[in-house]
Amino acid sequence: MSIISLDHIDVDFPQKKGQSVKAVNDVTLHVEKGDIYGVVGFSGAGKSTLVRTVNLLQKPTAGDIKVNGVDFVKDGKQVISNKKLQLERRKIGMIFQHFNLLNETTVLENVAFALKHSKLSDEELEKRSLELLDLVDLKDKANFYPVELSGGQQQRVAIARALANKPDILISDEATSALDPQNTQQILALLKKLNKELGLTVILITHEMEAVKQIATKVAVMENGQVIENGNLRQIFLHPKKELTKKFVGGSLETISTLESLNLGKLGENEAVYQLVYSIANVTKSIIIELYRQTGAEASMLYGNVELLNDEPIGTLVVSVKGDPEKQKQAREFLEKQNVTLTRLDEKGNLYD
């Protein structure tokens, strides 16, 4: 059973003159317990708006919402009482891009603040807060103030605070966007650790595909308020169907930048550029050597990269293939049989077809 069920969700924002903007359009998304579910898309795609409906920080215009087996919304109408909703929200932790810490209070007090409505004694409150700081490796900073911490450390405090009420779900809303690469890596590693050790279900809202690649088990790609592709991370990345997903996977955006810097100019009549994305475990032979051997088509490597997709090495290769129309046809047929995701690019690295 899904721990989060969003079915046919719409979110409309009223505008002047009776008009409205549809920020989320008929989205269905089911998150299983223990998932690290990445929701990815460019700014304005609707991903934060969608996920904020999970705890009704954003109320939907239409659709059904069920969390932890409890109905929140039916046919666009809230069916849970506000009192019950308050209790259910404690099972859903949230962390944000800008930490939202209280600057005039210590790290320990920031974490304890999330427990102010609990029935814990002062001694129990301090003990629980220190345990949470220990969980995020910041117990030694308990008496520091947020301004004395790095951005990554502040985000760790925010995570400790979000875990105070022992939630089942943690929503990360662009939580690494304000961090440098090193701190981003540390926060992602922490989220993965919490998922594994606490059985925490994590929803990762981000425009950074690298974050999704590193820790997500499932992914939904959003564009213009709709989920255009979703499912198992490996399947989505090795076999993308939509143009936006193809741009996101296999370092395609980096590919575009690289090819632009090469200034290839207009490709010749008998020349084509292809991007290949593949699992290194499934491809053991040199594709370029085999391509020439079997078709006679000349191939040159323009760009190559290997990265980890949730600990699995994934290769990206961009090759220029030269040959007459018959050789080009044979080359494409050969490449399509090689356990790779094949995408033709123009000379600037954009999708060709």
Side-chain angles (χ1 to χ4, degrees), residues 237-240 274-280 282-285 287 314-317 319 331-343:
F237 274 81
L238 288 180
H239 305 287
Y274 296 99
Q275 174 181 272
L276 288 63
V277 182
Y278 54 94
S279 168
I280 289 180
N282 293 342
V283 178
T284 55
K285 294 181 180 178
I287 293 174
I314 300 295
T316 299
L317 200 61
V319 296
R332 179 148 190 159
E333 288 174 350
F334 168 81
L335 291 171
E336 286 172 343
K337 295 176 182 176
Q338 299 309 305
N339 286 324
V340 302
T341 297
L342 183 68
T343 307

Side-chain angles (χ1 to χ4, degrees), residues 99 101 107 138 141 144-158 178-180 182-184 186-187:
F99 321 136
L101 299 179
V107 164
L138 280 180
K141 305 291 186 185
F144 282 54
Y145 287 85
V147 70
E148 299 177 276
L149 305 182
S150 70
Q153 289 172 329
Q154 289 185 56
Q155 191 60 280
R156 285 174 178 270
V157 176
L179 302 178
D180 61 41
Q182 182 178 352
N183 279 312
T184 293
Q186 291 173 354
I187 294 300

